[in-house]
Amino acid sequence: MRRFNYSLFAKLFYRYANIPASILLIFYTIPSLAEIYQNRLYAIPVLINILIFVLLNRFYIKSYRTFPFSIEADNEKMICTDYFFSDKKIEVRYENIENITGGLFSGNTSRPLYIHYSPTNEVIGIHAHLKNYDKLVTIILSNVKQHLYNEILEKTKALRTDNKSKRDKKKSGVTGL
């Protein structure tokens, strides 16, 4: 079994970065709330800060449930552990993976990769900042069912041709207007 972990900085960021950001948003929201009674325009920054606060913390709560910080993989299965505030341990057999979305399969490599595991209806997320991320993706793709591999390959090829045609249009100066 091969172990894949995040670096210390990535682990700290994906676990705790919402705390100082949330505190700053609260500090910016409180004075605006106090000034709403003087001028109604202060409601705009209050609403924006609340929206950012909710979206940020919703992302982190989702990531606490779906992103393991330690993954062990071989040619049969993947064992996901070290979830935030949880002793959860998920064993993923490659033949039971029903879909893989996000990440490079969505055309944006900065997005997380999501593995949809059918027996338990779990979704396992993997950020691209995982050490040896490419090797883990290679292990996963080489062991999933053939039809899923072909489906993912077709989607990736379609995204590549779409992106290439967009780049070609930009180079030639053609716009959609």
Side-chain angles (χ1 to χ4, degrees), residues 1 5 18-19 36 40 42 45-47 49 54-55 69 82-83 85 87 91 117-118 125-126 132 166 171 173:
M1 287 222 127
N5 292 313
N18 69 319
I19 295 170
I36 284 179
R40 300 260 186 235
Y42 284 105
V46 168
L47 293 175
N49 286 341
V54 168
L55 292 175
F69 286 92
D82 195 16
Y83 286 87
F85 285 136
D87 293 334
E91 186 174 306
Y117 186 60
S118 59
I126 303 169
N132 297 318
K166 287 178 185 178
K171 282 183 180 179

Side-chain angles (χ1 to χ4, degrees), residues 2 5 16 38 89 142 154-155 157 165:
R2 189 148 184 215
N5 292 313
Y16 303 110
Q38 302 294 333
K89 179 179 179 180
S142 63
E154 290 300 318
K155 285 180 187 177
K157 284 181 183 178
S165 65

Side-chain angles (χ1 to χ4, degrees), residues 13-117:
F13 180 80
Y14 287 125
R15 283 190 172 179
Y16 303 110
N18 69 319
I19 295 170
S22 296
I23 290 170
L24 284 174
L25 285 168
I26 290 169
F27 282 144
Y28 280 113
T29 304
I30 291 172
S32 297
L33 274 173
E35 292 296 321
I36 284 179
Y37 300 107
Q38 302 294 333
N39 188 350
R40 300 260 186 235
L41 286 176
Y42 284 105
I44 295 170
V46 168
L47 293 175
I48 291 171
N49 286 341
I50 290 172
L51 178 68
I52 293 170
F53 180 83
V54 168
L55 292 175
L56 174 74
N57 286 298
R58 194 175 92 190
F59 168 78
Y60 272 88
I61 289 170
K62 179 182 176 185
S63 83
Y64 293 155
R65 280 188 254 131
T66 59
F67 290 88
F69 286 92
S70 180
I71 300 172
E72 293 180 25
D74 63 10
N75 290 334
E76 292 180 20
K77 65 185 178 220
M78 190 169 64
I79 300 172
C80 304
T81 57
D82 195 16
Y83 286 87
F84 191 65
F85 285 136
S86 176
D87 293 334
K88 183 166 60 168
K89 179 179 179 180
I90 300 174
E91 186 174 306
V92 176
R93 296 218 163 272
Y94 297 120
E95 65 266 8
N96 294 329
I97 293 175
E98 68 180 38
N99 198 7
I100 300 174
T101 58
L104 64 123
F105 307 121
S106 68
N108 188 344
T109 56
S110 63
R111 288 185 185 151
L113 181 74
Y114 293 102
I115 298 170
H116 303 270
Y117 186 60

